[in-house]
Amino acid sequence: MFRKNIRLIKRFKEISTTLSKLGFYNISEYFQLLFGIEIDETKRPKKLREALEKLGPSFIKLGQVLSTRPDLVPQEVIKELIKLQDKVAPIDFETIEKILIRNYGEDLDRIFSYIDPEPLASASISQVHVGYLQTGEKVAIKIRRPGLKELINLDSELMLMLVKFLERHSKTVKELNLPALIHQFKRTTLREANLLIEAQNIQIFRKNFENYPQFYVPKCYTSLTHEEILVTEFIEGVKISETEELVKRGFSLKKLSEELTDAYFKMVFVDGIYHADPHPGNIFVMDDGRICAVDYGMISRLPKEKKRLFYDYIIAVTTLDVNLAMHFYEGLNMITPKTDIMELEQDVEAFLEKYYNKQLDEIDLKEMVLEVIDIVRNNHLRLPMEISYLGKTAINLEGTVRSLYPEFNPTKRLRKFITLSTKDYIKEKLLELKTATELYYYGIFKLENIYRLLIRERLTFSIIFKDLEELQEFYRFQTQKIAVAIVFIGLLISSGIFFLAEKTAIGDIILIFAVLFGIFSLYKIFKF
């Protein structure tokens, strides 16, 4: 316990020093700015992002989680957090080698013929090295940073201590429910740090895209993968952000934009599971023109029931149906006690009117997502994690595609997938209608049978308000006890008066009655 406290103090000092160099006098001030509790015009969102990047792996991941929470973080801060660069100082190869030996033991040299000591990339969760298997295949070896889990647990505890301190001194902070956010950050980061889970994600995406030639998912060597080491096929290609090189190689930027957008819309609207970090560093164009996404640690799902609510919302936009749009917010359990329903309806109606009768290619995806974020924040709505990640992914995708081909609008590609999805949606609605009809049909016969039974048996209904009867019984006993106590006190006073008047015989009789009433009242008290 003592050693843990020392580590917390050292980490707190390290964080405080880093923040002070960026112009923040204490952690409390930084957090208040981050959540928009107090706005200081001299400290721009860019400084908040830079602070997160300098504070290391845990805080970079916290920033990524915060970028999906427009219900907590101001929009201008979110725009900056989305730009977070997940790059940290590399780990020396001696440390990496120890991790490899710990996991592979004596088999290390039998598996790999060569591992490049210079890292290909160094991020908050892991570091990537190029290697070759003894079979000659070139692979990417992803190694989790040493002590990462301990650091995440330490920083989480420190954040919770800070949040509890702020909650004691600020009602606004308490209303934000920041402990839940810290727990979400800890849970998602520890999950992303488990590379066995990432290997499972890769297998799922490979299956989903096995018949989709435009998009490629790298092969994963599951037999060589451990919790802190992931081995995948090495992807030879050009980063999608290197547009000049892509043009030089003869690729159509417009076609690449369409294919990347189509792949992501397929993930969301068809598969219901999507790569949640589509920034340019994670997307490559291979030599044969296929697009390949790497790093499947951050993925999210859109369950069928939530997908159905999205289709309802799309229909609400096309038909200007405010009630159907409100069903979206209610169905996702987004409405909180602080939400003013009338104001929410007015904001939703204004949003629908803006996009009603617009062609898909006239809609700016990023602008639309940011407007929904405004509705969420202004109306104190609760944002489900799946929806928050979807918003962040949409903004990232739009930015990646626009940087690739500025004239391209990803929203117009939505028609292809919404049409397919609407067919499935209609099928589901028809099935629901069929189920409801069957229930209604059989319900008629059930009601008829119940009616005949009532007539035949002449059943009598007796409605008993059990709780009310018990309450009545309780007050009846209480009243009796009070009455007995009054009589007891009256008899005692009366006997005293007779004793003072020297009429002892009558006083003795009344005193006996008083004693009997006293015993009786004690019996009543202990009985109930």
Side-chain angles (χ1 to χ4, degrees), residues 307-374:
K307 206 192 305 185
R308 191 182 300 121
L309 288 167
F310 264 98
Y311 301 154
D312 282 343
Y313 202 76
I314 291 166
I315 289 169
V317 173
T318 57
T319 59
L320 201 60
D321 190 333
V322 178
N323 289 329
L324 192 59
M326 288 295 292
H327 176 63
F328 170 82
Y329 296 101
E330 291 163 0
L332 289 172
N333 196 29
M334 293 172 71
I335 295 171
T336 68
K338 293 177 71 177
T339 304
D340 185 316
I341 301 297
M342 294 294 289
E343 282 188 22
L344 176 60
E345 282 188 356
Q346 288 171 7
D347 287 350
V348 170
E349 187 174 7
F351 176 82
L352 296 182
E353 285 174 352
K354 179 176 179 179
Y355 291 100
Y356 179 59
N357 278 338
K358 266 195 176 183
Q359 297 295 321
L360 283 172
D361 53 3
E362 296 175 328
I363 296 172
D364 186 308
L365 182 63
K366 183 178 178 180
E367 182 188 334
M368 187 169 70
V369 170
L370 291 174
E371 284 185 25
V372 173
I373 285 172
D374 278 338

Side-chain angles (χ1 to χ4, degrees), residues 71-181:
D71 51 334
L72 295 178
V73 181
Q75 193 180 119
E76 60 271 15
V77 176
I78 283 180
K79 288 177 185 176
E80 199 63 38
L81 292 180
I82 288 172
K83 302 174 189 174
L84 267 171
Q85 294 296 309
D86 197 356
K87 293 177 183 178
V88 295
I91 314 154
D92 61 273
F93 190 67
E94 286 182 11
T95 306
I96 292 293
E97 206 166 21
K98 286 176 185 176
I99 298 170
L100 292 167
I101 291 168
R102 184 168 67 240
N103 284 273
Y104 295 118
E106 294 177 357
D107 292 333
L108 180 61
D109 292 332
R110 297 193 193 103
I111 296 168
F112 300 101
S113 61
Y114 175 74
I115 298 173
D116 190 344
E118 288 298 316
L120 183 68
S122 181
S124 57
I125 294 288
S126 57
Q127 185 163 297
V128 180
H129 287 257
V130 177
Y132 289 87
L133 300 178
Q134 290 290 357
T135 54
E137 295 163 71
K138 190 176 182 180
V139 293
I141 309 165
K142 187 175 185 178
I143 302 111
R144 187 173 71 198
R145 300 183 74 85
L148 180 69
K149 290 174 76 173
E150 292 77 9
L151 182 64
I152 291 166
N153 286 318
L154 188 71
D155 283 349
S156 298
E157 192 166 340
L158 201 58
M159 290 172 197
L160 281 171
M161 288 168 63
L162 173 64
V163 163
K164 285 175 183 175
F165 171 79
L166 291 172
E167 283 182 338
R168 285 197 298 270
H169 296 85
S170 171
K171 187 182 177 183
T172 308
V173 176
K174 198 167 185 178
E175 289 174 351
L176 291 175
N177 191 19
L178 294 183
L181 174 74

Side-chain angles (χ1 to χ4, degrees), residues 299-522:
I299 64 111
S300 190
R301 288 176 168 80
L302 189 66
K304 185 179 278 189
E305 61 275 10
K306 288 185 172 65
K307 206 192 305 185
R308 191 182 300 121
L309 288 167
F310 264 98
Y311 301 154
D312 282 343
Y313 202 76
I314 291 166
I315 289 169
V317 173
T318 57
T319 59
L320 201 60
D321 190 333
V322 178
N323 289 329
L324 192 59
M326 288 295 292
H327 176 63
F328 170 82
Y329 296 101
E330 291 163 0
L332 289 172
N333 196 29
M334 293 172 71
I335 295 171
T336 68
K338 293 177 71 177
T339 304
D340 185 316
I341 301 297
M342 294 294 289
E343 282 188 22
L344 176 60
E345 282 188 356
Q346 288 171 7
D347 287 350
V348 170
E349 187 174 7
F351 176 82
L352 296 182
E353 285 174 352
K354 179 176 179 179
Y355 291 100
Y356 179 59
N357 278 338
K358 266 195 176 183
Q359 297 295 321
L360 283 172
D361 53 3
E362 296 175 328
I363 296 172
D364 186 308
L365 182 63
K366 183 178 178 180
E367 182 188 334
M368 187 169 70
V369 170
L370 291 174
E371 284 185 25
V372 173
I373 285 172
D374 278 338
I375 291 174
V376 168
R377 189 166 178 84
N378 295 339
N379 292 279
H380 308 286
L381 298 177
R382 184 188 298 108
L383 200 61
M385 194 169 69
E386 303 96 331
I387 308 306
S388 60
Y389 271 103
L390 187 58
K392 174 181 177 289
T393 302
I395 292 172
N396 267 339
L397 176 66
E398 202 268 353
T400 299
V401 170
R402 294 275 189 182
S403 64
L404 180 65
Y405 190 72
E407 293 80 20
F408 178 71
N409 184 353
T411 317
K412 64 183 178 183
R413 302 294 295 180
L414 194 59
R415 185 182 290 107
K416 176 181 175 184
F417 294 90
I418 291 300
T419 304
L420 291 172
S421 300
T422 305
K423 287 178 182 176
D424 295 333
Y425 172 79
I426 292 168
K427 284 179 185 177
E428 285 182 9
K429 289 295 179 186
L430 288 172
L431 283 172
E432 287 177 12
L433 181 62
K434 181 186 173 187
T435 305
T437 305
E438 287 175 353
L439 185 65
Y440 175 74
Y441 179 74
Y442 290 115
I444 291 171
F445 289 102
K446 289 288 181 185
L447 286 171
E448 186 181 354
N449 288 336
I450 291 168
Y451 173 73
R452 286 176 179 174
L453 183 66
L454 289 173
I455 296 298
R456 191 187 316 120
E457 303 293 338
R458 298 182 180 276
L459 297 177
T460 304
F461 287 95
S462 178
I463 300 173
I464 300 171
F465 296 95
K466 189 172 181 290
D467 292 341
L468 185 60
E469 284 190 348
E470 287 178 357
L471 194 64
Q472 287 175 336
E473 190 70 11
F474 171 78
Y475 282 118
R476 188 170 64 82
F477 274 106
Q478 295 300 320
T479 306
Q480 285 179 359
K481 285 192 287 185
I482 292 167
V484 169
I486 290 169
V487 173
F488 173 66
I489 292 166
L491 288 170
L492 282 178
I493 293 169
S494 299
S495 66
I497 291 170
F498 278 109
F499 277 121
L500 288 171
E502 296 182 351
K503 295 183 178 180
T504 54
I506 299 172
D508 287 336
I509 293 168
I510 294 173
L511 182 62
I512 291 166
F513 272 109
V515 170
L516 290 173
F517 262 94
I519 294 168
F520 182 73
S521 63
L522 286 171

